[in-house]
Amino acid sequence: MGKRGSRSQSQLLGSLTKKQKKHLRDFGEEHPFYDRVSRKEAKPQTCQLSESSDTSSSESEAESEPEQVSGYHRLLATLKNVSKEEEEEEEEEEDSVMDETEMNLEDGDSDISEEEDMAAESTDMQSSVASPADPEGKDGHGPPGTSEESPEEFTDAKHESLFSLETNFLEEESGGDSSPKASQDPFVQHVNTKLKEKEIQAVATNPKTTHQLKWPILGQVVFSSKFQKLETFKPPKDIDLKSVHLQKPLESTWIKTNSQFLSGPQKSNSPFTPLQKELFLIMNSYRDLFYPERTALKNGEEIRHVYCLHVINHVLKANAQVLGNNSRRRSQKLGVGDDDDFRDQGLTRPKVLIVVPFREAALRVVQLFISLLEGDSKKKIIVSNKKRFNGEYGSDPEERPPNLKRPEDYEAVFVGNIDDHFRIGVAILQRSIRLYAPFYSSDILIASPLGLRTIIGGEGEKKRDFDFLSSIELLIIDQADIYLMQNWEHVLHLMNHMNLLPLDSHGVDFSRVRMWSLNNWSKYYRQTLLFGALQDAQINSVFNKYCVNVQGQVAVRSVPMTGSISRVLVQLPHVFQRMQVESLASVIDARFNFFVNKILPQYRDAVMSHTLIYVPSYFDFVRLRNYFKKEELNFAHICEYTQKSGVSRARHFFLQGEKQFLLLTERFHFYKRYTIKGIRNLIFYELPTYPHFYSEVCNMLRATSRGEEAAWTCTVLYSKYDAQRLAAVVGVERAAQMLQSKKNVHLFITGER
């Protein structure tokens, strides 16, 4: 092997270009683009190297095992003699994030060494060679903390030491919680709150105490708590940034980041809009919050800005506390001092979980993080893997058809990349951000319910992991109403796995873990922020059942005075028929029997053709579809799973009158917003989840008006358990009258001239 082997190596080395040599030195293998199929030794070498690169945290570790890739190691040794001039030329050729990094180093913004610059460059190269054959590569990474991940399931392993909390120390200029005002900081007060065993045991039996206040912008605000103390407050007229205890550099960066919302009638010296001020005061008090009036059109971005400020403020304070204690421990002699003074972290590192429905929302959250840390500073912050992130979470505006006409709220919700299966870890250390961090090395997790569900798994599954949820201190569920249209079971599954004791230690230093975390009391210290567009029983249930914060809960309970029925433009009689229901569990069967026995017989006659039946629940839709097939009724059906050709046929047959009935699911209307033509009779099997869907569907009748307006009908089924949805459609006063009335039938007429 001696001479022949060395000759073949020198020939191979001589045939490589500069970029190929650099890739070979960084990764231990040639770029896949240049692979020769005839070389059989490439496969095992690639396999062995992927294992070592997954477990390594720097380039030096990846190159320190010559026995695994002996041939390549000798080849790499010859490449070490490449001159520095060649390296500089190669770096200039690379179009990567490292251009910004080198500029930062000249400004003195970071202490990153040249080796880590090369590491960041290599991760960008790695992103460009990810194999498209792997279907899960799009998700950012596979299950966190597993050593069996393929290289395509990308996690940034190169910056592990740079962003490690254990090996870094607090810089003097960044400031910490060592100031004399630290005791007034809401963060310090919250994490230092001490609970007793008796208080925890009493939570299960204590009745919830509530107190209602009226705030200027939020309206009716309900404070509640299961702990004995219940403190309420009203918002002050004016607040400044110093009074809310923002961590550096947020005091200077927030005003610029939020400037788009501060123009207009607002006072120029106010850092918050009136809505942001009231929301942030609740957030900063570490109470749980449910705000059901967040809409994509009106205030969605305004709210996203303020909760991102709270997230970054929380993470910077928590990390500053850890790094400050690292410095104190280093300066003290071993064995001196009380270990309890240094209890500053949870059982795992992730502190914040942000649940958003689409990749576009995750992109905007990360962009806000960068803006909040960077501001108008001349020093650009370091963002690793930014190019890859923009590619995977961004969107091409040309992909959307130009002639697509949809309502404004639809355009606002379904903007950008609407993939709903993703998860990404974000690590923040002082003024640097690491995207695609492994979950157990992340401070913030951003994911969709589906992306989390595929990691958490179910009982009996071999590959499942939910330890990363054990020490979440801040949970944000944004756009909760959209999850009702996706799969609400994923949200419930997530909540059932929050703040459980981890099955593995994950290398934690137990002497640094807070006592309430060791006692498995983390859920009593977790703040949950829940934002949605509507009051819904399922969302209310999650807030009431899973939010047991020691600081208490705040829910906004503003009621709609005018319902969406006022936006119906067609002249139409609306007949609301109330069902008699004994219990909540019997509602589903009672509705089906009422429809089959009382409503459907009125529409079986051929005269009552062109009848659209609007069904919010997919399970009710399947039950009705099976019944219609069994009874051999002349009908068509459209749901969210129907193929495009099937949708076109059903719409055509219904318009022409060849099909008497059309079953339509709410989720299909939510995702498509097609105008169904040919409707003459309308049946709402259940009140819509979104109140504005009621007026939208009713207004479809005018799409094909051929003089039969006098024969149009609309029938709505409801029960006493539909009070919230009924109030959103007809208004709170009318809903109260309808529910308390002895009559079971109520008539409304819209569009009168």
Side-chain angles (χ1 to χ4, degrees), residues 545-747:
K545 181 179 179 181
Y546 295 100
C547 298
V548 287
N549 188 345
V550 63
Q551 304 295 341
Q553 291 75 43
V554 178
V556 178
R557 299 294 186 196
S558 297
V559 291
M561 299 308 294
T562 59
S564 61
I565 195 171
S566 62
R567 294 192 290 274
V568 177
L569 303 177
V570 295
Q571 188 167 354
L572 182 67
H574 305 257
V575 180
F576 286 78
Q577 301 217 15
R578 186 175 64 192
M579 309 171 295
Q580 298 298 332
V581 183
E582 295 180 359
S583 65
L584 183 60
S586 63
V587 167
I588 296 174
D589 291 333
R591 179 178 285 111
F592 178 76
N593 294 328
F594 185 84
F595 175 80
V596 168
N597 298 325
K598 298 288 181 67
I599 305 299
L600 192 58
Q602 303 172 22
Y603 291 87
R604 280 179 178 268
D605 195 343
V607 179
M608 304 295 287
S609 61
H610 296 272
T611 300
L612 174 73
I613 305 174
Y614 180 93
V615 190
S617 168
Y618 180 74
F619 301 106
D620 288 335
F621 166 80
V622 172
R623 189 175 187 179
L624 286 174
R625 184 189 64 192
N626 294 343
Y627 177 80
F628 276 40
K629 286 182 178 179
K630 180 183 175 183
E631 295 293 315
E632 297 181 351
L633 295 175
N634 184 23
F635 79 104
H637 56 88
I638 300 176
C639 71
E640 56 272 24
Y641 304 112
T642 307
Q643 297 290 336
K644 195 171 183 179
S645 58
V647 173
S648 300
R649 282 196 301 271
R651 294 174 70 191
H652 174 74
F653 291 151
F654 183 70
L655 175 62
Q656 299 301 323
E658 297 178 30
K659 299 292 184 182
Q660 183 176 354
F661 297 98
L662 176 62
L663 293 176
L664 183 78
T665 63
E666 183 173 69
R667 286 207 293 182
F668 175 82
H669 181 67
F670 175 80
Y671 283 108
K672 299 297 184 184
R673 299 291 182 92
Y674 289 173
T675 298
I676 307 298
K677 296 180 179 180
I679 305 173
R680 296 179 189 172
N681 304 292
L682 188 57
I683 300 175
F684 285 93
Y685 186 79
E686 184 182 359
L687 284 160
T689 304
Y690 287 91
H692 65 275
F693 283 2
Y694 184 86
S695 56
E696 278 186 16
V697 175
C698 288
N699 288 330
M700 287 181 187
L701 274 75
R702 63 178 180 173
T704 51
S705 55
R706 299 173 181 173
E708 66 275 346
E709 289 88 344
W712 286 347
T713 65
C714 176
T715 303
V716 184
L717 278 63
Y718 74 98
S719 71
K720 62 182 180 181
Y721 295 106
D722 296 323
Q724 283 183 325
R725 295 188 180 188
L726 184 64
V729 171
V730 301
V732 65
E733 292 182 359
R734 288 174 176 172
Q737 293 173 3
M738 293 166 66
L739 292 171
Q740 295 170 3
S741 173
K742 295 180 180 179
K743 296 179 181 179
N744 292 329
V745 181
H746 295 83
L747 175 66

Side-chain angles (χ1 to χ4, degrees), residues 3-21:
K3 291 184 178 179
R4 190 174 298 172
S6 61
R7 187 181 304 164
S8 63
Q9 290 174 12
S10 61
Q11 289 176 354
L12 175 61
L13 180 60
S15 64
L16 298 178
T17 65
K18 291 179 181 179
K19 284 190 176 182
Q20 287 173 296
K21 290 177 183 177

